[in-house]
Amino acid sequence: MAVLGINDSHDCGSSAVSSGSVISAVNEERFTKNKNEVGFPYNSIKYVAKNTEEEITDIALAWIGGNALISRVIPSWDRKRRAIWRREIPRPSRATLHLMNVPYKLIQNQRPRMLWKAFGTPISKSVTAKRLALIDGDLAHKRMHVVEHHLSHAASAYFTSGFSEALIITLDGSGDGLSGTVSTGDNGEIKRLAEFRASTSLGIMYGAATVACDMRYSEDEGKLMSLAAYSYPAEIPELWQFSVYDPKSKNFVSKIKTRNEILLAEYLKDHVLSKYDRESFAYAVQKHAELQVTTLVRQWIKETGIHNVAVAGGFFSNVLVNRAIEHMPEVEKLFVFPQMGDGGLSLGAAAYIDFSLHGKFNRKQIDDVYFGPGYTNEQIFNALKKSKNKKISYEPIKDPAGHAAELVAKKNEILLWFQGRMEYGPRALGNRSVIALPNDPENRYKLNLIIKKRPFYQPFASSMLEGEANRLLEDCVGPNRFMTSANAVRVEHRKDLVAASHIDYTTRPQMVSAKENKLYFKLISGIAKETGFGAVLNTSLNKHRRPIALDPEDAIWTLENTGATKLVIGDYLVSKKA
């Protein structure tokens, strides 16, 4: 028996879990090509349901009330918010924003919560059943469960961590009236110890700081984190007015009254950023965030005596925050759920209901997140035949990994690489990747110019053989398979990873073993024979602001519409005339 998970808010998607194991998981953006897609994930549900051999007996729907409930009934609600964040439509005037702030507070804080739950649960079930009926009449009649937002986040981290006992922390902008929670996990049972108000959200504060720097809310926070490295250490005392973790009240407190993210961004811009340069502001915001989170973690480890920490929620996409936690002396092991944002809610909801119904607890950490669609060589060949681009040619190859290693290591090719099942989450982990030599500093600039077209200060990540991690990195704690934390590159290897590390000599690594990705391991091993070190620059197979490639057609489109000239896809080498 299997549980089908659904998230129909932003970054919507679907998952299937059976007896504690993930069967499949995918987000709707990969099908629609609209990043962080909002709405009901019809395509994702179709894929997951079709590829689940077990009988689907139950539906787990993430998120009860607030914006999600309104968007569930009126899908255009959240789409409009996101269009404003992305600057696709004009931003409302300040006067309008102040008027909107009254209902915003009611929706954000979701008070009284029992009332939201009483109305939200039956409405959500009814609306979802009608939409499921458009896909499959049988699905519409399955037992349906609605799982609270932060419980879904907590479950996603805990049930995939491999920890029998864990301290579980969730942090994000807001969801179901909260911006975060602290829980314990004990042999499958999750017990909540604390919850944090949405009105003092550290995630919203960080997002508002991103907007204050003329970036996009809920999309460009990684850019703010990257920009922070370009400043000398800077202290901004004004930031202590915003979202500070208070150990006495066990909550986040803020001297600035509740306001929506755009108004908060305007306040930050007028009263804080105006006094400092942008880089110093980014640095101080980042350090403020790290300090609040480590203070929180330290207190709850002391109170619970639990030293294994599992985290989820969009805030934990910040690899420097994760690094700060990982290196706390109080923390024994840290697990960051790879699809940490709301895109992972469907899996968390499904995992929670699966355990609640069947009691099967998987004590093994997930090895990989290759939960999406895969394609046969026949499907790849048919896609190649459909291409009408006269500049494109293709040929079969017997050894894709060996051929790719030669192109990268000997010819310094920036290579598009498409193999196996698609990764779940925001990181390319060797199945939908762009590969390049990390020891050529020009490759970072070439990638930005010919494929990504991103700001110069955003670094690229690395993939390295698990056995090479301790040799290349000076602070390697454990095998990070999912690019969820940052590490410092050893002085003697900074030139080797210059294109795959940041200006502060940190890299966001994926540590690869043959167990979870035999083909990718072989590719990197082949490059290591030529370079003397087992690492590559790895970035996602997509253009900037476009989702990671789903199918062969996406990979071919990326080759055709960027400056790349080589694609290894399945057992084919595809070339484009310059």
Side-chain angles (χ1 to χ4, degrees):
M1 295 179 287
V3 177
L4 178 74
I6 300 172
N7 168 36
D8 58 349
S9 185
H10 53 265
D11 206 1
C12 56
S14 184
S15 310
V17 177
S18 178
S19 299
S21 297
V22 181
I23 300 170
S24 58
V26 67
N27 291 105
E28 192 73 1
E29 65 168 24
R30 306 294 170 88
F31 297 96
T32 65
K33 318 309 174 194
N34 184 25
K35 201 164 185 180
N36 299 322
E37 183 64 274
V38 176
F40 197 73
Y42 289 99
N43 296 292
S44 302
I45 293 169
K46 288 177 185 177
Y47 165 75
V48 171
K50 182 179 178 181
N51 289 276
T52 301
E53 294 182 0
E54 295 86 347
E55 180 190 358
I56 295 172
T57 58
D58 294 80
I59 307 292
L61 183 63
W63 213 326
I64 300 170
N67 280 310
L69 177 59
I70 297 171
S71 299
R72 195 165 281 153
V73 179
I74 311 170
S76 60
W77 166 274
D78 212 11
R79 290 197 185 101
K80 185 175 180 180
R81 288 176 70 222
R82 303 222 144 232
I84 292 171
W85 293 347
R86 291 172 175 169
R87 302 175 186 174
E88 295 169 351
I89 60 176
R91 180 186 294 182
S93 67
R94 284 202 187 188
T96 303
L97 287 170
H98 279 288
L99 286 173
M100 292 167 59
N101 204 42
V102 176
Y104 173 85
K105 290 179 183 180
L106 296 173
I107 295 168
Q108 181 195 50
N109 291 309
Q110 209 164 307
R111 296 290 188 269
R113 290 174 67 192
M114 291 305 296
L115 189 63
W116 278 96
K117 185 175 182 180
F119 282 97
T121 300
I123 292 172
S124 296
K125 288 182 177 181
S126 175
V127 170
T128 302
K130 289 176 181 177
R131 289 174 181 158
L132 283 171
L134 299 175
I135 299 172
D136 185 332
D138 289 338
L139 287 178
H141 294 95
K142 303 295 183 182
R143 288 177 299 187
M144 196 175 299
H145 316 261
V146 184
V147 185
E148 188 254 6
H149 181 94
H150 281 275
L151 180 55
S152 296
H153 274 317
S156 72
Y158 178 52
F159 287 113
T160 58
S161 69
F163 300 147
S164 293
E165 183 182 54
L167 176 65
I168 312 165
I169 297 173
T170 68
L171 286 173
D172 61 10
S174 66
D176 277 333
L178 302 174
S179 64
T181 60
V182 177
S183 306
T184 56
D186 185 10
N187 287 309
E189 300 292 340
I190 297 175
K191 179 182 178 181
R192 183 170 293 179
L193 305 179
E195 50 189 37
F196 311 131
R197 296 184 296 269
S199 57
T200 55
S201 169
L202 184 64
I204 290 178
M205 180 264 181
Y206 198 98
T210 302
V211 176
C213 289
D214 293 322
M215 302 175 194
R216 291 170 170 83
Y217 184 81
S218 194
E219 188 169 332
D220 288 344
E221 283 78 1
K223 292 180 181 178
L224 187 76
M225 180 186 68
S226 299
L227 188 63
Y230 284 84
S231 171
Y232 291 104
E235 292 185 8
I236 298 182
E238 292 92 335
L239 291 177
W240 286 88
Q241 301 175 83
F242 306 88
S243 197
V244 175
Y245 182 73
D246 175 30
K248 290 183 179 179
S249 64
K250 298 179 180 178
N251 215 321
F252 285 87
V253 297
S254 181
K255 294 180 181 179
I256 305 302
K257 292 182 180 180
T258 305
R259 59 192 69 200
N260 70 47
E261 55 279 343
I262 298 176
L263 279 177
L264 187 58
E266 294 291 345
Y267 186 93
L268 279 164
K269 194 171 186 177
D270 294 343
H271 296 88
V272 184
L273 179 55
S274 60
K275 303 175 186 178
Y276 303 91
D277 64 86
R278 198 168 71 143
E279 291 77 13
S280 296
F281 177 75
Y283 176 91
V285 169
Q286 176 64 35
K287 291 302 176 184
H288 180 81
E290 291 174 24
L291 179 59
Q292 305 320 309
V293 176
T294 52
T295 301
L296 183 161
V297 172
R298 186 173 292 110
Q299 179 182 23
W300 286 102
I301 288 179
K302 184 177 181 181
E303 294 213 7
T304 62
I306 300 173
H307 297 269
N308 287 336
V309 181
V311 301
F315 193 80
F316 292 109
S317 61
N318 190 310
V319 296
L320 296 182
V321 167
N322 298 342
R323 183 189 186 202
I325 299 171
E326 195 170 46
H327 290 286
M328 293 174 65
E330 298 89 346
V331 174
E332 186 173 331
K333 291 181 181 178
L334 172 69
F335 176 78
V336 183
F337 180 56
Q339 176 57 309
M340 63 289 289
D342 285 359
L345 287 172
S346 68
L347 193 150
Y352 179 78
I353 296 302
D354 176 67
F355 178 80
S356 300
L357 293 173
H358 308 129
K360 179 70 174 178
F361 181 55
N362 194 340
R363 290 175 170 79
K364 185 174 177 295
Q365 186 181 120
I366 54 172
D367 292 320
D368 62 66
V369 288
Y370 305 122
F371 300 148
Y375 298 87
T376 65
N377 277 311
E378 182 181 1
Q379 290 172 309
I380 291 168
F381 177 69
N382 289 333
L384 289 168
K385 283 199 303 181
K386 290 178 184 177
S387 175
K388 304 299 182 183
N389 193 324
K390 294 182 180 180
K391 291 185 177 182
I392 298 290
S393 62
Y394 53 92
E395 59 182 298
I397 49 178
K398 293 182 179 180
D399 180 11
H403 207 104
E406 184 175 348
L407 285 170
V408 174
K410 293 184 178 181
K411 298 183 180 180
N412 198 11
E413 190 75 53
I414 291 176
L415 180 71
L416 309 187
W417 173 256
F418 181 105
Q419 302 291 336
R421 293 182 68 179
M422 182 182 65
E423 300 91 334
Y424 181 54
R427 316 294 188 206
L429 299 170
N431 279 4
R432 304 287 188 275
S433 291
V434 181
I435 310 297
L437 282 178
N439 59 352
D440 183 349
E442 292 298 315
N443 279 344
R444 177 176 171 180
Y445 304 108
K446 287 178 184 177
L447 269 164
N448 269 328
L449 284 170
I450 71 173
I451 295 178
K452 293 296 183 175
K453 303 186 187 301
R454 318 179 306 177
F456 75 93
Y457 52 79
Q458 283 191 270
F460 290 104
S462 58
S463 293
M464 59 185 64
L465 302 179
E466 183 181 334
E468 290 276 72
N470 281 310
R471 183 166 79 96
L472 298 173
L473 307 173
E474 67 180 29
D475 58 350
C476 180
V477 175
N480 179 0
R481 306 213 185 285
F482 308 117
M483 288 187 181
T484 52
S485 187
N487 291 100
V489 180
R490 291 187 184 275
V491 174
E492 61 270 29
H493 289 290
R494 286 177 179 175
K495 289 185 178 179
D496 296 331
L497 295 180
V498 63
S501 53
H502 203 17
I503 192 172
D504 59 359
Y505 305 113
T506 61
T507 186
R508 175 164 48 89
Q510 173 199 8
M511 299 168 193
V512 182
S513 76
K515 181 180 179 182
E516 75 271 0
N517 197 325
K518 185 177 180 180
L519 201 63
Y520 195 41
F521 182 87
K522 183 179 179 182
L523 189 162
I524 301 173
S525 298
I527 292 172
K529 291 178 182 178
E530 296 293 329
T531 62
F533 58 92
V536 296
L537 183 158
N538 172 20
T539 189
S540 53
L541 179 53
N542 63 309
K543 288 184 74 172
H544 188 43
R545 300 201 186 284
R546 186 179 170 94
I548 295 174
L550 167 78
D551 52 30
E553 286 80 4
D554 282 345
I556 296 165
W557 183 94
T558 307
L559 180 68
E560 292 174 336
N561 291 275
T562 64
T565 60
K566 300 289 183 184
L567 162 67
V568 173
I569 177 169
D571 290 342
Y572 290 91
L573 170 65
V574 189
S575 302
K576 183 180 74 176
K577 296 177 182 177

